[in-house]
């Protein structure tokens, strides 16, 4: 009996200790609620909030403080007449001070409809400064006065801005939805090494010196390409990884030296299987993140169609304005510029016939920019009365210009823009002009998403500088079986089972059916100008693995940062990367890259030659 009582008392003690502990915790908790959740339902409750001071405003005897955390903003009120010393303390609060307050939730007379907590405010009874802050170098609000550089140098402050946080949140959600979809389809997430050997994705490698094997270097992966293929040979069947990749390339075009891919590979599949699977992923993300139900299949364009109609292998199909080949139509009428040109192409800008001389001159200046490199631009206005007015009326009669209008399906009120020269360059310039006009005409709505697949890429592309072929995708991409016989006789015409997913002019992802046969892989390396020894020393392990029952396989990788940026409506991928680098590859915050100590250099057997 005594024993029982003893145990009973112990249990009671224990329970009451737990309770005491809870009370204690509640009293001393940093917060009972976040700054984003209180509403009229909480009126008269005593709450504790913690967060950052965004703003302090004094209005007569009242001091108002906007308190911010990840979840939102709540207005705090300090009343001089109720508690003078507290109000005094509140006035001393600086921007970005970290504070804790206890107070009562009260209905606001002056409601703020812009924020979810705008119906209420907290009448503060207690204030505790948890940490002071220096005056931040820029205002931590969506409309900030901080330029790019200063925000990157103090990125941890920039991350407090709701706009930046929104992007990071979307990034988090997207990775979760990607994982859900792929896991639901039997994909296994596997990590692959970071200290490896060169992977040929067409960029320069970042290298890491080895101390234990002085004089030798690892390369950081440009992608996990060879490893995911080896995982297929290892029988994984379906692999994915959300993974960092490293490419040392010029960063002008909104690139980052380290970026994230959704990297995937599948066994016993053909191009169509991969396209179906990942079109499913794209639809899943459109649905879960953008609430868009995409009906039907994504359109597909062959590489040749994309190049001829859009001048670009990642066409923005939110709008038409396709390029038309007028080479045949315009020749032979003594306009030397067109007569001598390899190619003459045109676009039709709807309702732009009213363009003034000045606007047209601006367009001409645009195409003459060095990045675009065109020599000029010919225009023809389709007047309301059905006549034409062009910069080449001397050479082209009304009937001739009508032929252009027919080809371009131009209507009265439209503006036809023609360019000529080398085919490749002219198409590229027309592509830029098309995008510029799309921008000017407001045809690129960032809430419209126009996905498509570009397929049938050439296997190889001629590198004029080095006078040899390069892999258009990478050296592991398989030629179309029906083109195998052309590999020796006409390699330039061989097409690959390679595909890209494009959304709104962004290459969101790309992949291919892979070679899984040693002989073909060897041949590919030879075509790319590798000697047998080079191929063996760089990729001997892969060709050896192909000898041990490599299954047919194919895969794809998506640019995760770019996809998030697109869905977030961001201009640059930098906006959706927590700690990005600037255009010269520098991390402005931690100040990297940096010199290393002489001892470290010695240990690595390295010496630095100043350039
Ligand atoms: N490794 C390729 C890339 O990074 C993608 C792929 O072929 O799966 O572009």
């Amino acid at each position: 009996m005594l024993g029982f009582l003893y145990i009973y008392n112990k249990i009671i003690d224990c329970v009451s200790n737990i309770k005491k502990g809870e009370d204690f915790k509640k009293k001393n908790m940093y917060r009972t609620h976040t700054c984003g959740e209180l509403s009229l339902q909480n009126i008269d409750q005593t709450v504790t909030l913690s967060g950052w001071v965004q703003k302090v405003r004094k209005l007569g005897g009242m001091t108002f403080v906007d308190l911010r955390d990840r979840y939102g903003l709540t207005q705090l009120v300090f009343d001089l007449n109720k508690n003078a010393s507290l109000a005094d303390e509140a006035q001393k609060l600086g921007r970005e001070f970290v504070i804790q307050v206890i107070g009562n939730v009260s209905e606001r007379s002056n409601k703020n409809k812009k924020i979810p907590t705008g119906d209420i405010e907290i009448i503060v009874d207690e204030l505790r400064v948890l940490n002071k802050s220096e005056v931040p170098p820029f205002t931590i609000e969506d409309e900030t006065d901080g330029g790019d550089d200063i925000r990157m140098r103090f990125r941890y402050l920039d991350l407090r801005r709701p706009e930046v946080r929104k992007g990071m949140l979307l990034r988090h959600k997207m990775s979760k939805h990607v994982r859900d979809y792929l896991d639901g389809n039997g994909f296994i997430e596997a990590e692959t090494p970071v200290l490896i050997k060169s992977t040929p994705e067409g960029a320069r490698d970042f290298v890491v010196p080895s101390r234990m094997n002085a004089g030798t270097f690892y390369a950081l992966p440009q992608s996990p390409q060879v490893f995911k293929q080896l995982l297929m040979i290892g029988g994984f069947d379906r692999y994915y990884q959300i993974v960092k990749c490293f490419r040392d390339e010029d960063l002008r075009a909104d690139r980052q030296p380290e970026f994230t891919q959704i990297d995937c590979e599948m066994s016993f599949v053909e191009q169509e299987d991969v396209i179906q699977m990942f079109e499913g992923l794209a639809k899943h993300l459109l649905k879960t993140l953008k609430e868009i139900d995409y009906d039907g299949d994504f359109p597909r364009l062959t590489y040749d169609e994309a190049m001829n109609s859009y001048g670009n292998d990642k066409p923005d199909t939110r709008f038409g304005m396709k390029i038309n080949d007028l080479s045949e139509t315009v020749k032979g009428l003594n306009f030397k510029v067109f007569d001598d040109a390899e190619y003459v192409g045109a676009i039709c800008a709807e309702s732009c016939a009213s363009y003034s001389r000045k606007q047209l001159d601006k367009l001409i200046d645009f195409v003459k920019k060095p990045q675009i490199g065109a020599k000029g631009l010919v225009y023809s206005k389709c007047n309301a009365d059905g006549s034409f007015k062009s910069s080449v009326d001397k050479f082209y009669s009304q009937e001739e210009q009508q032929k252009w209008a027919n080809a371009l399906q131009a209507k009265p009120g439209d503006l036809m823009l023609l360019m000529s020269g080398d085919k490749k360059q002219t198409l590229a310039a027309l592509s830029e002009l098309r995008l510029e006009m799309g921008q000017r005409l407001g045809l690129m709505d960032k809430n419209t998403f126009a996905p498509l697949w570009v397929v049938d890429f050439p296997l190889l592309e001629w590198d004029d500088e080095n006078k040899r072929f390069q892999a258009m995708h990478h050296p592991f991409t398989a030629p179309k079986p029906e083109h195998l016989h052309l590999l020796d006789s006409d390699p330039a015409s061989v097409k690959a089972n390679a595909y890209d997913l494009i959304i709104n002019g962004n290459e969101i992802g790309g992949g291919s059916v892979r070679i899984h046969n040693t002989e073909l892989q060897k041949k590919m390396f030879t075509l790319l100008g590798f000697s047998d020894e080079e191929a063996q020393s760089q990729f001997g392990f892969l060709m050896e693995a192909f000898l041990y029952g490599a299954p047919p396989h194919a895969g794809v990788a998506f640019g995760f940062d770019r996809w998030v940026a697109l869905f977030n409506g961001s201009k640059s991928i930098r906006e959706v990367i927590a700690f990005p680098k600037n255009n010269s590859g520098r991390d402005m915050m931690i100040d990297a890259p940096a010199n290393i100590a002489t001892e470290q250099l010695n240990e690595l057997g390295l010496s630095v030659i100043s350039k």
Side-chain angles (χ1 to χ4, degrees):
M1 186 61 187
L2 266 182
F4 172 75
L5 260 182
Y6 177 78
I7 291 172
Y8 177 79
N9 283 334
K10 274 277 163 215
I11 291 174
I12 294 293
D13 268 7
C14 210
V15 169
S16 84
N17 277 342
I18 289 173
K19 229 176 139 346
K20 268 188 220 149
E22 271 173 6
D23 288 348
F24 179 82
K25 224 170 99 194
K26 234 182 210 151
K27 248 203 204 137
N28 291 280
M29 254 187 333
Y30 278 119
R31 58 185 175 195
T32 53
H33 297 81
T34 69
C35 296
E37 67 174 300
L38 295 170
S39 68
L40 290 176
Q41 286 176 352
N42 304 90
I43 294 296
D44 288 336
Q45 284 179 13
T46 302
V47 296
T48 309
L49 298 184
S50 290
W52 286 266
V53 171
Q54 175 150 313
K55 225 184 233 158
V56 182
R57 294 182 305 277
K58 200 169 167 261
L59 273 180
M62 309 291 258
T63 301
F64 296 95
V65 173
D66 286 343
L67 190 68
R68 173 190 359 94
D69 68 6
R70 182 186 122 187
Y71 307 92
L73 208 70
T74 299
Q75 174 162 291
L76 311 177
V77 186
F78 298 81
D79 186 345
L80 187 73
N81 297 321
K82 245 180 86 186
N83 189 336
S85 69
L86 194 64
D88 196 43
E89 264 182 69
Q91 278 166 35
K92 289 190 200 129
L93 293 173
R95 282 199 284 146
E96 300 310 310
F97 274 37
V98 186
I99 62 168
Q100 181 189 30
V101 291
I102 301 177
N104 255 285
V105 183
S106 155
E107 183 167 359
R108 262 166 92 156
S109 49
N110 190 7
K111 298 199 170 51
N112 178 353
K113 292 283 161 223
K114 286 195 205 128
I115 56 171
T117 61
D119 287 344
I120 58 101
E121 61 195 3
I122 311 296
I123 312 294
V124 178
D125 295 318
E126 284 179 47
L127 164 69
R128 203 169 127 208
V129 174
L130 301 175
N131 211 345
K132 291 188 172 176
S133 169
E134 296 288 315
V135 176
F138 52 89
T139 48
I140 302 184
E141 291 172 36
D142 279 344
E143 291 301 320
T144 177
D145 54 358
D148 239 23
D149 282 359
I150 194 87
R151 289 193 291 109
M152 288 307 137
R153 160 128 157 58
F154 294 92
R155 179 64 167 169
Y156 47 90
L157 295 180
D158 200 31
L159 287 171
R160 288 186 197 160
R161 290 171 53 230
E163 181 58 31
V164 181
R165 193 167 56 237
K166 179 180 131 255
M168 296 312 299
L169 226 85
L170 179 70
R171 186 179 178 108
H172 159 74
K173 280 195 195 142
M174 190 182 287
S175 69
K176 181 188 177 300
H177 288 303
V178 166
R179 288 198 161 92
D180 287 349
Y181 178 86
L182 293 175
D183 181 66
N185 280 288
F187 284 77
I188 298 175
E189 182 162 18
E191 285 161 273
T192 50
V194 170
L195 294 176
I196 62 165
K197 213 153 100 163
S198 183
T199 44
E201 297 281 1
R204 241 179 244 115
D205 288 320
F206 279 103
V207 293
V208 179
S210 161
R211 179 187 56 80
M212 285 192 282
N213 306 277
T216 62
F217 296 82
Y218 299 102
L220 301 183
Q222 292 185 31
S223 83
Q225 183 61 36
V226 285
F227 290 98
K228 63 175 173 176
Q229 293 191 242
L230 291 165
L231 285 170
M232 293 305 104
I233 299 171
F236 265 52
D237 199 61
R238 290 180 173 197
Y239 142 93
Y240 85 100
Q241 183 180 190
I242 299 184
V243 61
K244 273 283 165 80
C245 301
F246 306 86
R247 295 183 192 178
D248 185 1
E249 54 193 347
D250 287 341
L251 303 178
R252 270 167 292 141
D254 190 23
R255 300 225 170 122
Q256 285 279 304
E258 51 177 310
F259 60 97
T260 307
Q261 281 191 345
I262 309 166
D263 192 45
C264 311
E265 197 76 7
M266 304 168 78
S267 290
F268 303 111
V269 289
E270 290 175 353
Q271 168 168 308
E272 194 53 37
D273 303 295
V274 180
I275 287 185
Q276 292 291 338
M277 175 62 71
F278 292 98
E279 188 162 315
L281 171 67
K283 286 180 178 170
H284 177 71
L285 296 179
L286 278 167
K287 172 87 190 133
T288 50
L289 298 168
K290 296 267 106 191
E291 290 166 21
I292 294 173
D293 274 307
Y294 192 99
D295 264 347
D297 296 334
F298 290 178
R300 291 187 201 178
L301 280 181
T302 65
Y303 171 83
D304 291 339
E305 285 166 345
M307 292 307 285
N308 289 330
S309 301
Y310 299 94
N312 196 319
D313 61 1
K314 44 180 176 139
D316 190 333
T317 50
R318 278 174 296 182
F319 62 103
M321 213 191 284
K322 287 189 193 172
I323 298 170
N324 268 265
D325 182 350
L326 296 186
S327 308
E328 294 309 313
T329 322
V330 296
K331 289 205 179 194
L333 290 157
N334 297 327
F335 182 49
K336 205 166 158 16
V337 179
F338 283 176
D339 283 350
D340 292 351
E342 180 192 3
Y343 171 87
V344 182
I347 57 170
C348 167
E350 269 183 52
S351 312
C352 289
S354 55
Y355 260 38
S356 64
R357 181 72 237 174
K358 206 165 150 202
Q359 281 173 303
L360 288 166
D361 283 346
K362 273 206 174 140
L363 270 191
I364 294 170
D365 289 346
F366 171 81
V367 299
K368 282 185 173 169
K369 278 193 202 165
Q371 316 83 288
I372 300 178
K375 290 203 188 71
L377 181 66
V378 165
Y379 69 83
S380 167
K381 292 178 173 183
C382 310
N383 295 326
D385 63 3
S387 66
F388 298 92
K389 171 87 197 84
S390 85
S391 49
V392 287
D393 280 342
K394 254 204 302 195
F395 301 96
Y396 295 96
S397 64
Q398 294 287 308
E399 291 71 43
E400 289 301 326
Q401 291 180 55
Q402 182 62 53
K403 286 187 197 161
W404 308 351
N406 293 346
L408 290 166
Q409 296 182 341
K411 311 175 297 309
D414 292 350
L415 174 69
M416 298 186 281
L417 298 166
L418 289 75
M419 289 169 95
S420 62
D422 163 86
K423 183 168 181 186
K424 209 169 154 201
Q425 283 168 7
T426 307
L427 277 170
L430 278 164
S431 162
E432 295 296 332
L433 178 65
R434 174 182 174 270
L435 291 173
E436 173 70 16
M437 291 310 295
Q439 195 69 262
R440 287 181 185 212
L441 296 173
L443 303 173
M444 294 157 91
D445 171 24
K446 65 180 183 181
N447 294 313
T448 302
F449 296 95
L452 80 148
W453 292 99
V454 175
V455 297
D456 296 351
F457 279 83
L459 180 72
L460 303 163
E461 87 187 309
W462 183 249
D463 173 355
D464 226 12
E465 202 175 304
N466 297 306
K467 301 279 173 260
R468 61 179 178 84
F469 281 112
Q470 274 192 348
M472 184 99 177
H473 188 42
H474 52 54
F476 313 109
T477 295
K480 281 188 180 287
E482 61 273 28
H483 288 183
L484 270 175
H485 66 283
L486 296 169
L487 268 182
D488 292 316
S489 55
D490 185 9
S493 72
V494 175
K495 295 280 198 272
N497 273 327
Y499 32 81
D500 276 358
L501 175 66
I502 312 298
I503 307 181
N504 298 1
N506 295 282
E507 184 192 328
I508 290 295
S512 59
V513 174
R514 323 298 186 189
I515 296 169
H516 63 283
N517 156 303
T518 315
E519 286 316 307
L520 184 55
Q521 189 63 71
K522 270 192 188 152
K523 191 173 183 79
M524 185 70 181
F525 283 132
T526 310
L527 270 172
L528 296 174
F530 284 73
S531 68
D532 281 356
E533 294 72 41
E534 282 165 345
Q536 192 56 36
S537 90
Q538 269 198 58
F539 299 110
F541 61 93
L542 185 69
M543 290 190 285
E544 184 178 71
F546 285 164
L547 295 172
Y548 291 91
H553 57 287
V556 66
F558 300 96
F560 183 56
D561 312 288
R562 195 155 309 281
W563 207 337
V564 180
L566 176 75
F567 275 15
N568 195 43
S570 307
K571 284 209 191 77
S572 152
I573 60 172
R574 242 192 285 175
E575 292 173 32
V576 293
I577 295 175
F579 298 105
K581 304 212 167 20
N582 73 5
N583 281 349
S584 16
R586 292 201 73 78
D587 183 320
M588 307 273 284
M589 187 180 60
I590 61 170
D591 199 18
N595 295 329
I596 57 171
T598 314
E599 296 110 67
Q600 235 175 330
L601 283 174
N602 290 343
E603 254 176 5
L604 294 165
L606 294 178
S607 68
V608 176
I609 302 168
S610 48
K611 274 204 209 164

